[in-house]
Amino acid sequence: MTARAWAELLRVSALFTVPGDALAGAAASGRRPDRGTALAVGASLCLYEAGMALNDWADRDEDAIDRPHRPIPSGRIAPGAALAAAGVLTAAGLGLAARVGRPALAVATGLAATVWAYDLRLKHTPAGPAAMAAARGLDLLLGAAATGAAAGGATGPGPALVPVTGPASGERGAYRKGPASWKGAASGRGSAAGPGAARGSEPATGGFVRGALPAAALLGAHTYAVTAVSRHEAHGGSTAAPLAALGAVAALSAAAVHEQRGRRGDRGTDVHLGPGGRGEPHRPNPGPTHDAPELLAATAPGLVRTALSGSYLRTAAVPLLHAALNPSPPLTQRAVGGGIRAMIPLQAALAARAGAVGTGLAVMALVPIARALSRKVSPT
């Protein structure tokens, strides 16, 4: 067993497509990356690599025929070692998520269960692409659940951004600055150090996770399309799958350009506590009205979103078009590899879409690393 063999088994060139999930989830939830986000990234990396090791263990008989050069059928890694690595990495991922808190652990547990179900049961069934899409979506939601939770999240000292629901919210995704313990806001009970704070953390986290669901759906849709193409990479022959994926990529690129509703920094409804602790909407005096699409093209964030969405479209669409025109195994494999690498600009676009332009640009810094490693170790 060599380092090269383990790098092939774990597909280390695809590893850099993972951190952006948690970062995009943090951005979509409206919070800045913190220690909880870092732990979520670590958990995601462990669970992703567990899935890679388990995948090759489960496919060892099939790979002996179609891919005899893979580490297990070639004898460079023993099947038992790959299975043990999958178990250890899964436990490590869940352990990191547990350090954040129960909401993050719950999401990570669902992610781990989905990964194992896909590799052991669902991969070769019609439910395979949906299971893989669910795994990617859960990975993004793990970042949303973990961000802010390790330090108490919305229940930490001082005012916190709390998701507002109900008639007082004014619009979806509205936030208000409220006391540290949102459950005790109306009654004056609960503080950052009191029992109310501990009880309030999980409902607040749930609100932030719900805010990240649209981004998770977009990332999941891309994953579904790429997984559907990957089912033909060994033998090729499918034109329909690359064409369908090409249409999905075009639609996702268009969706990623638009701002996320209720993103942080929006001029939405600020809700403050009125008499008796009841939330009342307070709207700023409206300024001159402008046509939103015209303003979008003129703003720097809009230009960044456009550039990131264009990078995603270019990375994923070109190899998919080649595979649709000539569905040979090499071109189909190249299309799958391009779809995997396109995860990074898509994650960056999703972060910028939520208003976190800096996070999006930081995620894009992973592109040259992933590209360089893909020349040494195949991501598929």
Side-chain angles (χ1 to χ4, degrees):
M1 292 188 292
T2 65
R4 170 78 184 190
W6 281 104
E8 290 181 26
L9 180 79
L10 299 176
R11 296 168 177 83
V12 294
S13 60
L15 196 60
F16 294 92
T17 69
V18 178
D21 288 349
L23 292 171
S29 71
R31 295 182 288 186
R32 296 183 182 277
D34 59 8
R35 176 175 172 269
T37 315
L39 289 171
V41 169
S44 297
L45 291 171
C46 289
L47 294 175
Y48 186 84
E49 294 291 48
M52 291 295 153
L54 184 64
N55 175 78
D56 274 27
W57 179 85
D59 288 351
R60 61 193 185 279
D61 293 334
E62 178 182 334
D63 285 345
I65 299 173
D66 295 331
R67 296 178 172 182
H69 61 279
R70 293 294 301 161
I72 293 178
S74 65
R76 289 177 291 157
I77 293 179
L83 183 60
V88 170
L89 287 166
T90 299
L94 294 177
L96 288 172
R99 293 185 60 185
V100 182
R102 285 184 295 179
L105 178 59
V107 176
T109 300
L111 173 57
T114 303
V115 168
W116 280 73
Y118 173 82
D119 284 336
L120 298 181
R121 181 70 62 177
L122 301 176
K123 182 177 181 180
H124 300 293
T125 72
M132 185 60 74
R136 272 289 180 173
L138 285 169
D139 203 30
L140 186 146
L141 294 179
L142 177 59
T147 302
T155 63
L161 287 174
V162 178
V164 180
T165 57
S169 64
E171 67 181 75
R172 288 184 60 191
Y175 296 87
R176 67 167 168 84
K177 286 187 177 181
S181 175
W182 76 315
K183 288 183 72 174
S187 63
R189 292 175 299 165
S191 63
R199 290 193 301 268
S201 60
E202 292 182 25
T205 299
F208 290 118
V209 170
R210 285 191 294 273
L213 286 174
L218 293 175
L219 186 62
H222 172 81
T223 306
Y224 185 102
V226 174
T227 306
V229 176
S230 73
R231 295 161 78 91
H232 305 280
E233 63 180 337
H235 304 287
S238 174
T239 298
L243 281 177
L246 190 60
V249 165
L252 291 170
S253 177
V257 172
H258 299 290
E259 282 184 316
Q260 176 179 312
R261 290 184 59 189
R263 70 173 181 84
R264 62 185 175 191
D266 277 356
R267 288 177 59 201
T269 301
D270 293 328
V271 178
H272 63 90
L273 295 180
R278 180 173 298 177
E280 296 177 354
H282 170 71
R283 298 181 183 273
N285 292 327
T289 59
H290 301 279
D291 187 57
E294 293 178 0
L295 282 177
L296 179 64
T299 59
L303 293 175
V304 172
R305 290 196 305 273
T306 301
L308 294 175
S309 299
S311 176
Y312 161 67
L313 180 63
R314 183 176 63 255
T315 304
V318 172
L320 282 171
L321 179 59
H322 291 164
L325 295 174
N326 179 12
S328 63
L331 289 181
T332 303
Q333 292 167 13
R334 190 174 300 173
V336 174
I340 293 173
R341 291 192 301 275
M343 293 278 186
I344 299 177
L346 178 57
Q347 294 156 349
L350 292 176
R353 178 176 179 265
V357 173
T359 298
L361 295 176
V363 171
M364 279 298 290
L366 298 173
V367 169
I369 304 175
R371 184 183 294 119
L373 281 176
S374 68
R375 298 191 185 102
K376 300 179 180 296
V377 180
S378 173
T380 65

